[in-house]
Amino acid sequence: KDTLCMLDIHGVFLYTDYIMTKKDYIAIGTILNKYSKSEHMILLKLCEYFKKDNPKFNPDKFIELVADDKLK
């Protein structure tokens, strides 16, 4: 089955028709738990996980979005 994925004008992920499962929540929770003392490492590990899930995931754009102070 093809998965619908929408990106914003910056190419940052907005939406997919893929529904995250318990496996996804456990993986993300494990990353947050294991690397909670290092923001940088959390970002890198999340990017690694997202890239493994979606080869089109752009970690540079994701990190740029996370670092954007205008969003706060």
Side-chain angles (χ1 to χ4, degrees), residues 53-64:
D53 178 61
N54 179 357
K56 293 182 180 180
F57 175 77
N58 185 327
D60 293 330
K61 289 184 180 179
F62 180 76
I63 290 172
E64 188 177 303

Side-chain angles (χ1 to χ4, degrees), residues 33-48:
N33 178 277
K34 187 173 180 179
Y35 299 102
S36 63
K37 306 258 188 285
S38 171
E39 279 183 28
H40 180 72
M41 199 58 157
I42 288 173
L43 276 175
L44 292 177
K45 291 299 180 178
L46 285 173
C47 286
E48 182 180 288

Side-chain angles (χ1 to χ4, degrees), residues 4-58:
L4 173 67
C5 180
M6 295 181 67
L7 305 176
D8 72 4
I9 60 171
H10 304 291
V12 176
F13 169 81
L14 288 177
Y15 169 81
T16 183
D17 63 351
Y18 169 79
I19 297 174
M20 289 177 47
T21 65
K22 182 178 178 181
K23 167 190 71 84
D24 299 307
Y25 297 120
I26 290 172
I28 292 168
T30 300
I31 289 168
L32 292 172
N33 178 277
K34 187 173 180 179
Y35 299 102
S36 63
K37 306 258 188 285
S38 171
E39 279 183 28
H40 180 72
M41 199 58 157
I42 288 173
L43 276 175
L44 292 177
K45 291 299 180 178
L46 285 173
C47 286
E48 182 180 288
Y49 180 74
F50 297 153
K51 185 74 173 178
K52 191 183 312 179
D53 178 61
N54 179 357
K56 293 182 180 180
F57 175 77
N58 185 327

